[in-house]
Amino acid sequence: MISKKSLIILGLIMTLLIGCSKEDVMKPFKKDSTAEKEETEVSKPVEQNKLPPTTLKKGDKGQDVKDLQEALIGLGYELETTGTFDQDTVQHVKDFQGQAVEMAATGIYDDTTKQWLKKANEHAFKVEPGSGISEKNITTDKDHVLKVGNPKSKLVLVNKNHALPDGYEPPDLKIPDVPFPFDEDIPKKYMRKEAADALEDLFQAAQKDGYKLYGQSGYRSYKRQVEVFKNNANQMGEKKANQISARPGESEHQTGLTIDITSENVQFTIEENFGDTDEGKWVRDHAHEHGFIIRYLKGKEDITGYSYEPWHIRYVGKDVAKVIHDKDITLEEYLGAN
């Protein structure tokens, strides 16, 4: 085998014979500096944005906030690195959080948000700025109540500020195979199929643990809600009535995803002390395992707009229900609704 040194000498001899330059002879043995630079740049790992180690919320200031803002900008969000956790930053954080089931769109930067930002930086989680909190297809009526554009979604938000479209009736209603304290085939026995099937699983699990639950009031039409609210308003005044019942179009019962439940321990009534019964405590601890949440929590009245109702359960699906239960938050807080 001819050595590298011998090849160089041979090349120099050939240069003299055919007139090639020394530079041409040495070219095969030189490493292209441009290629070397490109190779270095390719092999160099992409530097990740520094993610703040501490919890941050609206009003916070400093370098950690700047780092968070830079991380969001790196994902395509348009905001300024002011170092102040202002409302604009809150909205962008909410939008990011709204794109993963495991995060509640609270607008607060926490450990869970940090983990998902890291995944996004590593391209293990796709982010589309603007798709996490969408108000597309939402209209506002004369009382400034939002008309939701996704009434069929199991995460549809229905409350005093978000009403169902006029005339909405849910599809695929069925009667869940669970006990009721009455025999009549009437609308309030019905729920949407997915929610009804989940309710059957919930009641069976309770039965297995020694607790018997009863369904009391599921689907309620717009027309029926008119009657319910009118009766309550006549008895206690409109303002008080709206603390315990919804105006027509603003009731979750109209979605077909909600049901009021009861037990023999409260004589099959709808009472707050249901939450103190063994059945009520079991529901509080296990409803999320079957996709349900206690919709109106104690101490959250200023957020939900309604009094504590331990009997009122809402179907949202197992993944979302677990997050809401574990964080002890409301559906409004999970969705980032103001």
Side-chain angles (χ1 to χ4, degrees), residues 203-227:
F203 277 39
Q204 288 171 9
Q207 184 78 40
K208 185 177 180 181
D209 286 349
Y211 306 104
K212 189 167 186 179
L213 300 171
Y214 291 81
Q216 180 60 272
S217 183
Y219 171 64
R220 195 179 300 154
S221 68
Y222 180 94
K223 183 178 180 180
R224 175 57 181 156
Q225 192 65 33
V226 170
E227 297 172 1

Side-chain angles (χ1 to χ4, degrees), residues 136-139 146-151 156-158 162-165:
K136 294 178 181 178
N137 302 320
I138 287 181
T139 57
L146 297 175
K147 297 287 187 177
V148 299
N150 59 339
V156 60
L157 178 63
V158 179
H162 299 77
L164 291 164

Side-chain angles (χ1 to χ4, degrees), residues 46-50 118 121-122:
V46 178
E47 185 177 351
Q48 301 293 346
N49 287 309
K50 181 181 178 182
K118 186 174 185 296
N121 280 336
E122 296 171 348

